[in-house]
Amino acid sequence: DVQLVESGGGSAQAGGSLRLSCATAADTYSNRCMGWFRQVPGKGREGVAAISGSGGTTYYADSVKGRFTISRDNAKNTVYLQMNMLKPEDTAMYYCAVPRRWRGCGRMEPAEYNYWGQGTQVTVS
């Protein structure tokens, strides 16, 4: 039983920054792709960014390119999402997740991810 625990959410002004963290209890996922998703009430979950197990390959949704950066520190069993130049439309619950297979990593399709954290709320005004 390895949990994914998101933190770092909160309120920010438009143009501001937040850094989200996704921590695991062990190094179980150090060699696995990890993704960040977000969801607003009444809408489906959408992929935001993903990163390979080594950190050498990253993927971003067009809506966040140039503003968000995904990274990881496998020694700390943690994946990060640095969010800069925040916009009100970034307001959502953010989740980290692990896909079933490598081929699902960059597609960032929720149905291809099977392990999920509890989420952390981000509100931008």
Side-chain angles (χ1 to χ4, degrees):
D1 184 20
V2 178
Q3 294 185 324
L4 302 174
V5 181
E6 301 96 334
S7 62
S11 299
Q13 298 293 319
S17 299
L18 287 172
R19 188 174 77 160
L20 307 184
S21 298
C22 176
T24 64
D27 63 351
T28 305
Y29 303 119
S30 63
N31 66 338
R32 303 290 299 277
C33 167
M34 298 285 288
W36 282 98
F37 293 76
R38 63 188 182 187
Q39 186 171 28
V40 298
K43 301 291 185 179
R45 199 163 292 185
E46 67 169 334
V48 175
I51 188 168
S52 63
S54 68
T57 305
T58 58
Y59 308 88
Y60 296 95
D62 288 341
S63 60
V64 306
K65 284 182 179 177
R67 300 189 298 120
F68 291 10
T69 302
I70 188 170
S71 63
R72 67 193 302 162
D73 185 343
N74 285 338
K76 296 181 179 180
N77 302 313
T78 302
V79 177
Y80 304 97
L81 185 67
Q82 178 67 46
M83 305 186 295
N84 298 325
M85 296 299 294
L86 285 163
K87 303 176 180 180
E89 51 262 47
D90 295 319
T91 295
M93 184 74 78
Y94 284 72
Y95 301 87
C96 65
V98 181
R100 293 180 175 86
R101 301 173 181 177
W102 158 250
R103 66 183 180 182
C105 186
R107 288 200 285 262
M108 292 188 288
E109 296 180 359
E112 295 182 323
Y113 281 68
N114 61 334
Y115 297 115
W116 297 85
Q118 85 289 348
T120 185
Q121 179 67 38
V122 171
T123 302
V124 183
S125 60

